[in-house]
Amino acid sequence: MAMISSKALSAKAVTAARPSRRVVAAKASASRPLWLPGWAPPAHLDGSLPADFGFDPLGLGADKEKLKWFAESERVHCRWAMLGAAGVLAQEIARPDIFWYETAAKIDLPFNIVGLLAFEFWAMHFVEIKRWQDFRKPNSVNVDPLFPNNKIPDHEVGYPGGIFAPVVPGNLEELKVKEIKNGRLAMLAYIGFVMSAQVTGKNPLANLGDHLADPYGTTIFSKAVVIPGQAVVPACAIPESVKFQGINIPTPCFLVDLWP
């Protein structure tokens, strides 16, 4: 009996001294910002990725290889979205009289658009294959196959440096986080630009001016109401299709039944 009691007491002491996994996770999450305060992040989001706030409720990144690809995909989408959002705003500032949504269809080109598209498809295919090869085997495509004198140093995947980043204005780790944060905002902003253009037929800054002039009368709720079994949606403000160099290009409003 004495031996059993001593073993039970020692087991209790070990259990008491060993913190639970939930407590450890709570302490670890308290040391980093999370998308929901007090939320225990999943194990695969340990804070090592830039701008990792522990958001993956569906567990899509539980596979390490998939998580690496998701991170690379997000970087690329962030960069394109930032360029796109900045381009839309810059175009409106320079020429507010031109509607950004249909600008490309009104350009007079001195050559056939099919040739330009063919070149773009080839160029983008070449670049994307190189990016995929670098992701699959890091630093395997640092040297230009056509011009061997053109090369970049060994680098982390997604951050080639060299000619692509001749100047790094600050701490690189901090810039990685800022890039993802701004990129996520840009992706949301670009979706907003598209939806507002389809609803109002105006540029984003013009829509902002309308909202500031009438904050309560010009909102997402004044444009549409969606309730179970019924939806009141605005008419599509853009044409169903445009014709460019004799080619009819469909331009439908997407998700019409779910607007906004």
Side-chain angles (χ1 to χ4, degrees):
M1 288 292 292
M3 184 179 295
I4 295 175
S5 299
S6 62
K7 287 183 177 180
L9 289 173
S10 61
K12 288 182 179 180
V14 171
T15 303
R18 182 187 301 161
S20 67
R21 293 183 178 180
R22 184 174 298 179
V23 172
V24 171
K27 289 182 178 179
S29 62
S31 62
R32 52 182 281 219
L34 297 173
W35 72 278
L36 183 64
W39 176 267
H44 58 276
L45 296 180
D46 55 6
S48 58
L49 292 172
D52 171 13
F53 297 103
F55 183 81
D56 188 12
L58 300 180
L60 300 178
D63 184 283
K64 289 185 178 181
E65 294 304 314
K66 288 184 178 179
L67 182 60
K68 291 179 182 178
W69 181 249
F70 290 155
E72 172 67 7
S73 299
E74 183 181 40
R75 272 193 298 269
V76 174
H77 283 81
C78 282
R79 290 165 183 173
W80 279 114
M82 285 188 285
L83 284 173
V88 171
L89 294 175
Q91 181 265 313
E92 183 178 2
I93 292 172
R95 291 292 303 275
D97 56 311
I98 297 178
F99 183 33
W100 76 270
Y101 200 92
E102 55 187 21
T103 302
K106 295 183 177 180
I107 297 176
D108 293 326
L109 294 178
F111 47 82
N112 193 296
I113 187 63
V114 176
L116 177 60
L117 289 176
F119 174 77
E120 288 183 348
F121 286 146
W122 173 84
M124 290 301 296
H125 174 76
F126 178 82
V127 171
E128 285 299 292
I129 287 295
K130 291 297 181 183
R131 185 171 68 87
W132 176 76
Q133 288 177 334
D134 187 62
F135 174 82
R136 185 176 58 87
K137 188 177 180 181
N139 300 309
S140 62
V141 290
N142 289 355
V143 180
D144 191 322
L146 300 179
F147 304 96
N149 291 330
N150 296 333
K151 59 181 69 177
I152 58 176
D154 289 350
H155 56 277
E156 180 184 353
V157 172
Y159 305 95
I163 191 174
F164 298 101
V167 178
V168 179
N171 182 279
L172 182 58
E173 297 304 315
E174 293 180 359
L175 292 175
K176 290 179 182 179
V177 175
K178 292 179 179 179
E179 179 184 44
I180 298 298
K181 285 183 175 180
N182 285 287
R184 289 169 180 170
L185 286 175
M187 287 189 281
L188 290 174
Y190 192 81
I191 293 174
F193 291 171
V194 171
M195 292 301 292
S196 63
Q198 293 184 357
V199 171
T200 66
K202 295 182 179 181
N203 289 322
L205 295 180
N207 285 321
L208 176 61
D210 291 343
H211 172 67
L212 294 177
D214 185 10
Y216 298 103
T218 307
T219 67
I220 187 174
F221 302 106
S222 66
K223 296 294 182 183
V225 177
V226 180
I227 58 176
Q230 185 178 5
V232 179
V233 300
C236 185
I238 60 174
E240 294 183 359
S241 63
V242 296
K243 184 168 289 187
F244 186 73
Q245 290 190 352
I247 303 174
N248 195 52
I249 305 173
T251 56
C253 289
F254 60 88
L255 298 178
V256 176
D257 295 331
L258 300 177
W259 276 5

